Amino acid sequence: MDKLSIVVPCYNEENVIETFYNKLMEITEKISDKYDYEVIFVDDGSKDETFPKMKNLRAKNDKIKIISFSRNFGKEAGIHAGLSNSTGELTVVMDADLQHPPEIILEMLKYIEEGYDTVATRRKNRKGEPVFKSFCARMFYKLINNFMEVKLEEGAQDFRMMKRNVVDAILSLDEYNRFSKGIFNWVGFKCKYIEIDNVKRVAGKTKWSFSSLWKYAMEGITSFTTAPLKIAIFIGIFVFIVSTIFAFTIIVQTLIMGKDVPGYASTIVSVLFMGAIQLLCIGILSEYISKMYMEIKNRPKYIIRDKIDNEK
Ligand code: UDP
Ligand code: MG
């Protein structure tokens, strides 16, 4: 019998984890004639009762593994830890807040049986989301897909089922800055997207703030394209052409009409303009340098404080 590993990164999910578990068990029950399962809860340094609640569940069901981080390392680290510890022929990654409805697993299995290597989900729409947030998200995908050789699927979620070879491929990318949405696409394989409705989380609240979304967007850009690094060249060429024309006009004007020293306005505008462009380019450079710095340090992606599974 094939085993399905269910990886669930959790950060402060004390309000939903039990509901989630019960819903999930209804599904594993339904597939029990064909698939065995294991649940891998990754406690991403939760500050609430998430970890004790996981342990309670584990006491009832030894198919649950728990990995608990020493602090909050972020969802990407949680996914990585979960995938590294998954032992099933199939692995599904899903959120604990029931925004990824467990019944979709049944549909995913159908496609896997049809021969797809991986099945992912895509949001039908961004209904129920703040207008500004969905506007920013749309702009982000437009921008990034213009530059990247690997396309990011708009609205794609981290809710995916993968065969063993896909999981191994993902784990073989050993980078510290993990942008899983990009990594999932980068490894390739035959992928099926299922459209699902945007579901509100059942309880608790989202961990995304505007600044964390900005960081996420930067991560996505710097992880998968170096196009912004080339921006300086194009701006440079453009400014060079414009300033040559400008200089030429000034010389001609002075020679023919004997014009006075040109005004204050044009000087200040060009100084500020050049300053801004230089800062912009340095900013882009530093974004990449900071990523290189973190990669070179080669720190672990997460630190495990506690691990509960059957091997111990
Ligand atoms: N999560 C995590 N570490 C974090 C933030 C989130 O493991 O630092 C988990 C969280 O517990 C949930 C999933 O990632 O299971 C998605 O988080 P959230 O619901 O806050 O994000 P959203 O659904 O709003 O994108
Ligand atoms: Mg959520």
Side-chain angles (χ1 to χ4, degrees), residues 95 97 99 201:
D95 289 0
D97 57 6
Q99 276 179 318
R201 56 159 46 239

Side-chain angles (χ1 to χ4, degrees), residues 127-145:
K127 219 168 50 207
E129 220 181 55
V131 182
F132 186 61
K133 188 177 165 193
S134 48
F135 170 77
C136 289
R138 266 204 311 277
M139 291 311 291
F140 170 68
Y141 286 104
K142 268 228 173 80
L143 187 82
I144 200 164
N145 281 337

Side-chain angles (χ1 to χ4, degrees), residues 215-228:
K215 254 173 71 186
Y216 185 74
M218 281 299 147
E219 188 71 59
I221 295 170
T222 52
S223 297
F224 285 92
T225 172
T226 51

Side-chain angles (χ1 to χ4, degrees), residues 5 20 31 33 54 61 94 110 131 159 163 176 182 185 195 242 252 259 276 287 290 296:
S5 301
F20 168 77
I31 57 170
D33 53 330
M54 284 174 178
N61 180 351
M94 61 196 301
K110 220 172 57 209
V131 182
F159 184 18
K163 283 190 181 160
Y176 178 82
N185 283 359
E195 306 242 313
V242 172
V252 171
K259 204 170 171 273
E287 206 50 59
S290 64
I296 286 170

